[in-house]
Each structure stands twice: as structure tokens, then as C-alpha cells.
């Protein structure tokens, strides 16, 4: 039986997000994907969906209604059943910066370029390529998968340092600036969004005006503006850029960083390529089931 998830009230930016659109950079389309992938996996697996199925990503309180069938709902892995026509409230995120609401069968919005998630910068995917608002109705897929409980452990520990690989532009930064990246504490700026997380703290001076040849960017790259402000590129990052890159957050720590609210401290620690690969292997074992 077909079902719908009706948006009754929205307290903060909310979009449909999924595992992203890898492999589309050559078309000028960033990979997208969840701001905190671990929480998306947690919510989806709790109702039997593949970890990267389309779900709601919200930064605030939501009022929703299930319509057309009984629906199994997961809010960050906590599950409950919603009767046909029942209205329910999803509280604003408490400990993390964002929250995920998954339903059994996933949100069956149209797939575009290999993904269903919303890419606001291109007005692509999700529901009409935009933020959700009251009155929107999202179609539901067919459920039936086997629920699974995932354990976060320390994956989103806000006190843990964020692991980075240094470079590739270390020669553009003086010795004192390079040392500051690893020795000083930064804080998450309220100006952060899905394009990039801005960090407040020590200015990372370099004198490069960003006039160099543009090159491909990746999520996690720490781009430093002329003012010295570091910006950690997010899932909706520009596909190219010219400002120097002092380091890159390893894949396994994307969620650990992005789960932090504005004002939360951020410290960096350097790891090797081998360390980054081992961290990602362990991460996959915990959060990326094959189904």
C-alpha cells in the first residue's frame, strides 16, 4: 500500500538526504550525502532500510504525519509506529547538530543523477530541490527489510580530536601557521552550512589570494581564505577551488566533526595515509552493512 509522509511544521532547515551522488564531479555536481553519515545509518538500519536510503535531515523541530499506511519511524535509531493519519513531533536535535528521521521503505522521491538527496546549491533532488516546508508530501517506499541496531560508541565523541592528513599545500604556510593548526583549539562557527564548516580561532596566515589555478575539491578539505579563516568543505562543496589547502579531514571523521554544534571546540591531529585507511576500514565495518 502506498504511503506518504506529510510535513506539518518545520522549525529549522530540513531536507531529504541519502548516501549522496558519488561519481558526478565531472558534471560539476558535488557528492552530497548526509551531514553526519553515522546518524543516517543509525536511523535507516533501525527500520530495516539500507544505510543510505533517503531520509529527513533536520536541524530543528519537526511536526509530521504518516498517511496511507501504518509507518515504522526511526529518529536517530529510536523507533516507534505511526498509524494512518497520525501526527507526531520530532524534537530538535539535543546532543548532535542534526537529526535524521527514517521511515520503513525510505522516502521514494525521484532519483536524479544516482541519488535522491537534496542539493540546494543546484536546486536538485529531494523535494523540488529545496528546503521542506509545511504542506509538502513525500512518497514512501515499500518496507519489509530486517531492522538492525547499530552502536555509535565513540564515533561522534565531541571531545575527540579530528584526524587530518596534512597538505597538499603546506609550502604556502609558514612553520608557525602549520604548528598552529595542530596545537591550537578552534570552535565551530554559526555561519557553517552544508557547503562548508567555518572555524573560529587562530588565523592561519598564508598571503595567497586564491588566484591560482582552480583544481578539484573533496569533502573534508580544509581550505584557508585570505583572512586566515579555515573552512572544512562539506558534502555540498564546490567542485573546484583555488584557495590553499592546509590539510584534509579523513573520511572516517566527517561525522565526528559535523555532529558538533556551533561553539563546540575542534582540535586536529595529523595521521598518515595508512592510519587514515585503517580508520576507514574500521568505520565501514561498524556503519556500512552490505544491505
Amino acid at each position: 500500500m502506498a504511503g506518504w509522509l506529510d510535513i506539518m511544521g518545520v522549525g529549522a532547515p530540513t531536507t531529504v538526504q541519502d548516501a549522496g551522488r558519488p561519481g558526478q564531479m565531472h558534471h560539476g555536481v558535488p557528492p552530497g550525502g548526509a551531514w553526519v553519515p553515522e546518524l543516517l545509518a543509525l536511523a535507516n538500519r533501525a527500520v530495516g532500510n539500507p544505510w543510505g536510503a533517503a531520509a529527513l535531515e533536520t536541524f530543528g523541530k519537526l511536526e509530521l504525519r504518516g498517511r496511507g499506511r501504518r509507518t515504522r519511524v526511526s529518529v536517530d535509531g529510536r523507533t516507534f509506529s505511526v498509524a494512518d493519519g497520525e501526527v507526531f513531533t520530532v524534537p530538535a536535535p539535543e546532543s548532535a547538530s542534526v537529526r535524521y528521521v527514517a521511515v520503513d521503505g525510505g522516502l521514494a522521491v525521484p532519483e536524479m543523477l544516482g541519488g535522491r538527496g537534496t542539493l540546494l546549491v543546484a536546486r536538485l533532488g529531494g523535494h523540488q530541490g529545496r528546503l521542506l516546508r509545511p504542506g509538502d508530501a513525500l512518497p514512501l517506499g515499500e518496507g519489509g527489510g530486517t531492522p538492525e541496531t547499530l552502536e555509535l560508541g565513540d564515533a561522534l565523541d565531541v571531545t575527540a580530536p579530528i584526524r587530518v592528513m596534512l597538505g597538499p599545500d603546506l609550502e604556502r604556510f609558514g612553520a608557525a601557521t602549520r604548528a598552529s593548526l595542530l596545537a591550537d583549539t578552534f570552535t565551530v562557527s554559526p555561519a557553517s552550512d552544508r557547503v562548508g564548516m567555518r572555524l573560529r580561532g587562530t588565523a592561519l596566515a598564508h598571503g595567497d589570494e586564491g588566484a591560482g589555478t582552480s583544481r578539484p575539491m573533496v569533502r573534508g578539505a580544509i581550505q584557508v581564505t585570505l583572512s586566515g579563516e579555515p573552512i572544512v568543505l562539506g558534502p555540498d562543496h564546490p567542485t573546484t577551488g583555488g584557495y590553499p589547502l592546509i590539510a584534509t579531514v579523513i573520511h572516517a571523521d566527517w561525522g565526528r566533526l559535523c555532529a558538533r554544534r556551533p561553539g563546540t571546540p575542534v582540535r586536529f591531529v595529523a595521521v598518515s595515509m595508512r592510519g587514515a585507511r585503517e580508520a576507514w576500514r574500521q568505520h565501514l565495518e561498524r556503519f556500512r552493512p552490505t544491505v
Side-chain angles (χ1 to χ4, degrees):
M1 180 184 297
W4 298 84
L5 186 66
D6 295 332
I7 310 299
M8 309 296 290
V10 180
T14 301
T15 56
V16 176
Q17 296 298 338
D18 63 358
R21 296 180 174 83
Q24 300 295 333
M25 289 271 285
H26 62 294
H27 292 307
V29 179
W35 184 240
V36 181
E38 295 86 347
L39 291 180
L40 176 67
L42 197 71
N44 269 319
R45 293 306 299 145
V47 289
N49 295 340
W51 81 268
L56 295 182
E57 178 182 273
T58 184
F59 291 83
K61 181 180 177 180
L62 291 176
E63 188 174 11
L64 306 170
R65 178 176 62 196
R67 177 166 55 89
R69 66 169 171 87
R70 177 170 288 276
T71 305
R72 192 69 178 164
V73 178
S74 165
V75 178
D76 295 345
R78 297 182 293 276
T79 62
F80 53 93
S81 185
V82 174
D84 183 5
E86 181 179 350
V87 176
F88 62 99
T89 298
V90 176
E94 298 168 354
S95 56
S97 63
V98 70
R99 162 161 281 168
Y100 292 86
V101 182
V103 297
D104 59 322
L107 300 176
V109 296
E111 183 175 304
M112 302 184 71
L113 295 176
R116 302 181 193 273
T118 309
L119 181 59
L120 293 173
V121 294
R123 298 184 180 180
L124 173 74
H127 184 73
Q128 301 177 6
R130 60 168 171 79
L131 295 173
L132 295 173
R133 56 192 182 220
D136 290 339
L138 306 175
L140 306 182
E142 295 293 332
T146 302
E148 178 185 7
T149 300
L150 301 182
E151 297 294 337
L152 280 178
D154 63 353
L156 303 184
D157 181 1
V158 297
T159 66
I162 301 301
R163 292 168 289 185
V164 299
M165 290 184 59
L166 296 176
D169 298 324
L170 288 182
E171 75 281 356
R172 301 194 195 182
F173 300 89
T177 298
R178 298 196 297 267
S180 291
L181 177 71
L182 303 180
D184 296 345
T185 298
F186 301 85
T187 59
V188 178
S189 167
S192 303
D193 58 23
R194 286 181 51 86
V195 174
M197 174 180 280
R198 294 176 178 270
L199 300 178
R200 291 177 172 174
T202 304
L204 302 177
H206 57 81
D208 188 309
E209 297 183 0
T213 303
S214 290
R215 57 185 169 175
M217 292 290 108
V218 296
R219 180 173 181 177
I222 305 178
Q223 194 175 54
V224 183
T225 65
L226 184 59
S227 68
E229 179 185 47
I231 302 174
V232 185
L233 297 185
D236 296 350
H237 64 82
T239 55
T240 61
Y243 283 113
L245 306 178
I246 193 169
T248 301
V249 174
I250 69 170
H251 200 160
D253 281 8
W254 288 354
R256 177 175 285 175
L257 175 62
C258 290
R260 301 184 185 195
R261 293 169 171 271
T264 304
V266 176
R267 295 177 295 112
F268 295 110
V269 60
V271 297
S272 65
M273 174 71 78
R274 176 178 293 182
R277 287 175 172 169
E278 176 59 20
W280 182 233
R281 184 191 66 78
Q282 294 175 6
H283 190 279
L284 287 175
E285 289 179 352
R286 293 178 63 185
F287 295 106
R288 302 292 176 90
T290 56
V291 294

